[in-house]
Amino acid sequence: MTFTHPKLIGSPNVHSIAGLVACLDSAAVVEQWRGQGVARALVVEAEKAADSHQAGKLGAAVLYAAHEPELMDFYAGLGFTLSPDGIGIPPSGLICHGPTKGFRFSVTPLRTGVQMEPMATPYGRQLVVRGVLPVPARRRQRRVTA
C-alpha cells in the first residue's frame, strides 16, 4: 500500500522509507475480549516492535494504523493523529497514499524530533511528517562581485 505510490516507484529512497515507516493494518479483537484492554496492549506492543533496534538499525520513526472510521477516538486516545488521505514525508516529497475506501490512517511518532502537520497537497489532505528523513544541508550560494 505505502510503497506502490507513483512518486515512490523507482525512487532510491524506497528502502530508507521502508525502514522508517511502520504500518499496523487492521488490528482486531474478538468480541468476548473487547473492553478489557487487549487492543490497547496490542497497539503498545506494535509500537515497541516498530521502534526496536535490530542489527544496529534505529527502528521506525513513525507508526501508522489503517483502521475503520469508528476507531478514530480509540487511536486518538493512544496519541495517534488522524491523517485523512495519507502521509507526506519531506524533504523528498514522498507520499504514502491513503488507505482503501472506508478506512482511515492514524499516525504516531516513535522518535523525538518527529513533527506532524495537516496540510492540503495536490494528493489530498495529507499529514505531513517532518523529521523522518534527514534534511540535506543547504549549500551556501556564492556571491558574484563585479
Side-chain angles (χ1 to χ4, degrees), residues 40-120:
R40 181 176 300 275
L42 288 172
V43 173
V44 168
E45 287 302 314
E47 288 180 22
K48 287 179 188 175
D51 192 29
S52 65
H53 300 264
Q54 296 175 357
K57 295 182 181 179
L58 292 174
V62 294
L63 171 67
Y64 72 84
H67 59 82
E68 294 82 0
E70 58 269 15
L71 294 175
M72 289 188 306
D73 289 340
F74 168 76
Y75 283 99
L78 292 173
F80 283 71
T81 301
L82 178 67
S83 176
D85 297 325
I87 61 175
I89 303 171
S92 57
L94 300 175
I95 303 296
C96 301
H97 63 90
T100 56
K101 190 174 184 177
F103 282 78
R104 301 289 182 264
F105 265 158
S106 289
V107 184
T108 190
L110 298 174
R111 292 187 189 164
T112 57
V114 173
Q115 300 170 345
M116 301 183 296
E117 173 187 5
M119 184 180 295

Side-chain angles (χ1 to χ4, degrees), residues 137-143:
R138 290 188 174 203
R139 297 174 68 187
R140 291 176 28 194
Q141 293 184 0
R142 294 183 195 177
R143 290 188 175 200

